[in-house]
Amino acid sequence: METSDLRKAGLKVTLPRIKILEILGTATPRHMSAEDIYKHLLESHEDIGLATVYRVLTQFEAAGLVTRHHFEGTTAVFELNEGQHHDHIVCLGCGRVEEFMDAGIEERQRQVAARLKYELKDHSMILYGYCSRPDCPARNVKNRN
């Protein structure tokens, strides 16, 4: 995303908006909370407050520049809206979020909607489980429900 995207969305180009857009555009992980963005700004010695971060993210969401997600057990996280549909899988142990796109799943959802006589406009699918990363705090936990 670029500053021209801000103008197209009807937003004035300001330093906080540019900096937050840059962080979201280069973020690893791709899904960031307002607090994560604020920490990045502090590390970069930017004088942008947490309230401003929240305000800008709300403006970005209203303009369609970002998507807000509320994954189970986490605070709201944001990602740039790059226009391509994808689904998510979330680790219940470490909170890792991964994106995926599966044509077979998408087709099956269209079939179900057609069978039930629905015209799909949008959908969101989030899978929850435990990742197999060696550093995942839930990796060796027994009795995972």
Side-chain angles (χ1 to χ4, degrees), residues 2 4 15 27 31 35-36 42 55 75 111 113-114 116 118:
E2 301 174 3
S4 62
L15 182 64
H31 303 83
E35 291 81 7
D36 294 333
L42 287 176
R55 188 171 44 257
T75 59
Q111 291 170 358
L116 297 173
Y118 277 79

Side-chain angles (χ1 to χ4, degrees), residues 111-140:
Q111 291 170 358
V112 169
R115 180 174 47 85
L116 297 173
K117 300 195 182 339
Y118 277 79
E119 181 183 333
L120 283 183
K121 296 296 181 187
D122 194 11
H123 79 276
S124 173
M125 184 170 72
I126 305 167
L127 304 176
Y128 295 95
Y130 292 94
C131 71
S132 59
R133 289 177 29 174
D135 60 342
C136 178
R139 182 159 168 71
N140 295 315

Side-chain angles (χ1 to χ4, degrees), residues 49-99:
L50 183 57
T52 300
V53 172
Y54 275 106
R55 188 171 44 257
V56 167
L57 289 171
T58 300
Q59 293 166 347
F60 283 2
E61 182 183 18
L65 296 175
V66 300
T67 303
R68 178 191 309 246
H69 299 285
H70 294 277
F71 299 125
E72 188 174 302
T74 65
T75 59
V77 292
F78 299 84
E79 68 174 316
L80 283 181
N81 180 358
E82 296 175 331
Q84 292 187 336
H85 171 76
H86 58 269
D87 296 304
H88 297 92
I89 186 164
V90 180
C91 178
L92 293 168
C94 65
R96 179 181 185 176
V97 178
E98 303 225 30
E99 299 174 354

Side-chain angles (χ1 to χ4, degrees), residues 5-58:
D5 294 310
L6 290 173
R7 286 190 206 94
K8 285 180 203 167
L11 296 171
K12 194 169 133 183
V13 177
T14 64
L15 182 64
R17 288 180 181 146
I18 292 168
K19 293 296 181 184
I20 292 169
L21 201 57
E22 285 175 359
I23 290 169
L24 286 169
T26 59
T28 304
R30 191 170 135 73
H31 303 83
M32 298 183 75
S33 69
E35 291 81 7
D36 294 333
I37 293 167
Y38 179 64
K39 286 176 192 169
H40 272 74
L41 290 166
L42 287 176
E43 290 167 4
S44 301
H45 306 291
E46 298 292 341
D47 188 22
I48 300 170
L50 183 57
T52 300
V53 172
Y54 275 106
R55 188 171 44 257
V56 167
L57 289 171
T58 300

